[in-house]
Amino acid sequence: MSTPAPLHRPPRRRLLKAALADLLPASVQQALALLRSVWQRWFLWVLLAVLVLGLLVTVVWLAGRHEAEQVQAALDRDTADAVADLRSGLQRNVQSLQALQAGGLDSDRWSTDVTPLMRGHREWLRLEWRDAALHTVAVADTPYHVRVFDEASRKAAQGEIESACADAVKLNAAAYSSSHYVPQPDNRGLEVMELCVRADGGGYLVASYALRDMLTELVTPTMRRGQEVSLTEPDGTRLASIGTARRAGSRVFTAQQPVELPGATMVLRVDGWRGAPDVFPNLLTGLVTAMSIALVSVLVLLASDTRRRLRAESELADTLAYRKAMEDSVITGLRARDLRGHTTYVNPAFCEMVGFSAEELTAVEGASPYWPTELAHEYERRQALRQAGGVPPREGFESVFMRKDGSRFPVLIFEAPLINAHGTQTGWMSAFIDLSEQRRIEEISRASQERLQASARLATVGEMASLLSHELTQPLAAIASYASGSLNLLQDGADAHPHSDAAQVAMAVRRIAEQADRAGQVIRSVHDFVRRRDRTREPVAPQALVEAVLPLVRLQARKTGVRIDVLIDEGLPRVFCDRTLVEQVLLNLARNGMQAMDLPELRSRVLVLRVTRSPEPPADGVAPDARRWLEFCVADVGSGIADEVAAQLFTPFFTTRADGMGLGLSLCRTVVEQHGGALLFEPNHPRGTVFRFTLPVT
Ligand code: ADP
């Protein structure tokens, strides 16, 4: 039937594992197994912790970045505003210059016109009025500075001025020169930018801006502290800057914006600093961080809570297992029922008691399968009473249950309400004790009690028999001697007339003497038997035993219409026995057989007495070659023996007859067994019973 297993290679991983297991020492393998179990247990937690940590770091980083972006955006806005301020300031200055020449330029009024203007524009170092050929007509220097320019430096700047003015002509508007450096005596120097505005009458007004002052006057008011504002060339070369020097440990944000002026292009650069460490820069990040810490704390609490729960769970499981073990090992049956009477739980002891499985018992609704059918109604009534609130007796009550095989057994039931943790009744709990064993023991003790009484009666009987034998021996002896005396007297007449009455009387008297003698012997043997003296055993021919009881048997047979068949095998040896007792056994068995055939419907009533060599060794197992046996057999065709009678046939005082004593068979067996033989019985064919017993050959 079995098909060959499909050939498939074991997975390489498993092979590797097996090879590794062979290679590694046991301690390392144990450590690995421990590591694996710890890893399996903690894997999810580690994963969760890593994820949460990753999430928190990301959130904090994003918050920081968001804030930096905001700072950068604000700086960009500030820078754009500053450029706009610068442009509008420069534009206003151009307008001031144009306003200066509104009333016409006059070298006499120059100084009075220009001085208030110079006071209002601190960013200007000098204002020059130049003619069309760019020769200086009038000059005014700022009062806020030590003198910056001299002849040489103005000459050096001539190129710048020319290009600015050329642009102004070209654009027909104010134009600027690129910045140029004006060295100072203290080696510091200044970056200066020229503004050229065309004046009426073909001249020019040239204003020299100090770039640093330009920033101070036109840009600074709008800028915050903590920022450095610079003007640079498009290539990044720094021209002028104002503001705070960079603080150590702070982060720098930079924004740049081109400042395109007619004739010149510069870049306004603003550097902003932010103090404090970057990781906790502001409220948002702080909040996120606080929440992260809270989250981690919750995680830790959760982990410890889970550990506590796991421990509680395992303790609970242990307790449950312990309870279950207790319920399973207890020998009292336990059963729980709900308020409707449905069985919800049974323990193994109960299942074993009734022979049903727990599933079979809990599956059924209504009448339980272990209720005997004839009592089911009463039990249902009892259950209804219980459901109606009837309280069961505290000391328990007895009942009868039925096993799965149909046999009934007595149980003692203790019932109590099943109260749950909230104090409400959810059903009934019952405990059962199987009383069968107890009943059996009670029965045995009752039987032994009876047997004891029987033995006591037997002893009394023995006592009486002994007394009787003593009392009867003398009258019997007297009868015997009177009989022999009478016999002697009759003998003479009988001899003379053999067929006369006297001869018959003599015969009768002889029989009287014989019987009196026999009765004496019987009484003596009973006396011996009771007294337990060594009985006299002797070799006796089986023939003699049978013939001794035949007259009595025939006497009874005639009364009941029974035919007696005697079959004794030829050449049988003699048996070694107490002949009186064995005769009594034969007599008892024959009498029992005849009584069993005393049935009105029985036509032919035959009692067979047979003596043969025993084909088998006796039942007590003595070796067959050690002794030879004769078998005595008494067979009737009577009522036969029913099984329940057969079970107690040899029990003293057991009888089915109204006038019976119930001692016959029990005594017979004792006698036969005392001789070493066995008394057995079996059904006769076609009907009736055969009793056989064996006796040892001499
Ligand atoms: P008793 O004869 O006083 O009743 P026994 O011990 O001799 O006492 O017999 C016990 C019972 O055994 C009898 O009551 C009878 O029912 C049964 N019994 C004995 N011998 C036979 C037999 N041959 N056939 C049927 N029943 C018998």
Side-chain angles (χ1 to χ4, degrees), residues 588-589 591-597 634 636 638-642 645 648-651 653-657 659-668 688-691:
N588 266 346
L589 292 179
R591 197 199 59 202
N592 275 351
M594 285 185 289
Q595 279 167 348
M597 287 188 290
V634 182
D636 65 69
S639 57
I641 296 176
V645 174
Q648 6 184 11
L649 205 61
F650 296 108
T651 313
F653 301 109
F654 171 79
T655 175
T656 58
R657 281 194 288 272
D659 57 342
M661 268 278 281
L663 282 172
L665 282 178
S666 126
L667 281 173
C668 288
T689 318
V690 187
F691 279 86

Side-chain angles (χ1 to χ4, degrees), residues 301-380:
L301 284 179
L302 206 69
S304 79
D305 184 58
T306 309
R307 228 187 28 239
R308 235 186 11 250
R309 262 161 208 275
L310 278 177
R311 206 171 43 230
E313 227 168 68
S314 93
E315 277 170 11
L316 198 68
D318 282 353
T319 314
L320 273 182
Y322 181 61
R323 287 270 162 89
K324 174 116 185 54
M326 280 194 330
E327 282 169 15
D328 289 356
S329 39
V330 80
I331 50 163
T332 310
L334 294 176
R335 178 197 67 188
R337 286 197 291 192
D338 61 16
L339 288 172
R340 291 181 301 116
H342 175 68
T343 304
T344 51
Y345 166 80
V346 281
N347 75 340
F350 186 76
C351 295
E352 202 179 316
M353 216 179 265
V354 292
F356 289 96
S357 71
E359 290 72 34
E360 284 172 314
L361 291 173
T362 49
V364 289
E365 292 283 348
S368 304
Y370 48 84
W371 286 356
T373 7
E374 66 278 11
L375 294 169
H377 279 306
E378 190 191 323
Y379 289 5
E380 265 163 15

